[in-house]
Amino acid sequence: WTQNGDTCYGVAAVRFRLEHEGTVTFGEPEIEIGPTQEDIENSADAALAALSVSQKDPRAVGRLTCVMQRMKRAGKSFDDRYYAAAPGIDLTGDLNPPTCYKEGRYGENGYDYHCRTGPDAIESCARHLTERLVEKVQRGVTGEQLVDWLLYRDDDAYRGVAHLHQMHSSGSAAMICTGVRTLLMPDIAARAKRSDSLLGCY
């Protein structure tokens, strides 16, 4: 910006390159980060239309319909966080499976998985939906492709919640990582109670 022929850098002109949509005026710049309200509503509508004609897993489609309705209603304030906390492969009976809330490292007994501590136990498992959904819709994917992509995210969210619930209800609470027991599980429970949260559909 300029004032009386001078710029904030004292040179003839300054060109700003914004990575996100926004405007720059005299004073503090106002930058809108991420998708706009309209982007979110349009993307949720596109997803709802695709889900309404899908013949795939009706339970998953029902959960995703719930998510898209909440996203459309809440817009930019929608809490789109979920946790891909389940092991990536079926390791039934494995008492120490590889998961996002554990980190692998070598020890005396070879390669093993150890609990992450503090906020890292949450952030390492956190995923978000809204911005990536908008990107998919704006890229022009077909309805079927959009549903397949959403089903993959639903599987992550659903298995994450089911995995933690199973651990809690199995009576093996002492074996659960401290970060999961004191941070991740309470966070999921709190978000699930909110009407503007993705996890409220799970």
Side-chain angles (χ1 to χ4, degrees), residues 55-135:
Q55 300 297 313
K56 298 187 177 180
D57 185 347
R59 292 185 178 180
V61 168
R63 291 190 296 267
L64 288 167
T65 298
C66 170
V67 171
M68 292 303 116
Q69 289 171 340
R70 289 181 174 213
M71 180 185 292
K72 180 179 179 179
R73 186 166 58 246
K76 289 183 70 68
S77 64
F78 180 63
D79 176 15
D80 68 343
R81 174 178 285 228
Y82 64 97
Y83 296 100
I89 55 177
D90 184 9
L91 294 170
T92 303
D94 189 340
L95 298 179
N96 190 25
T99 63
C100 57
Y101 54 82
K102 294 180 180 178
E103 56 182 344
R105 58 176 181 261
Y106 285 99
E108 295 180 358
N109 299 318
Y111 197 75
D112 202 359
Y113 294 92
H114 301 266
C115 294
R116 297 180 186 273
T117 58
D120 193 34
I122 287 184
E123 296 307 321
S124 60
C125 295
R127 306 290 185 271
H128 295 274
L129 183 67
T130 303
E131 191 164 345
R132 297 189 65 190
L133 172 66
V134 171
E135 290 174 356

Side-chain angles (χ1 to χ4, degrees), residues 13-34:
V14 173
R15 176 174 293 176
F16 292 92
R17 182 175 184 273
L18 300 179
E19 296 294 336
H20 300 280
E21 181 178 335
T23 58
V24 178
T25 59
F26 180 75
E28 293 295 323
E30 296 179 1
I31 301 175
E32 185 173 355
I33 302 298

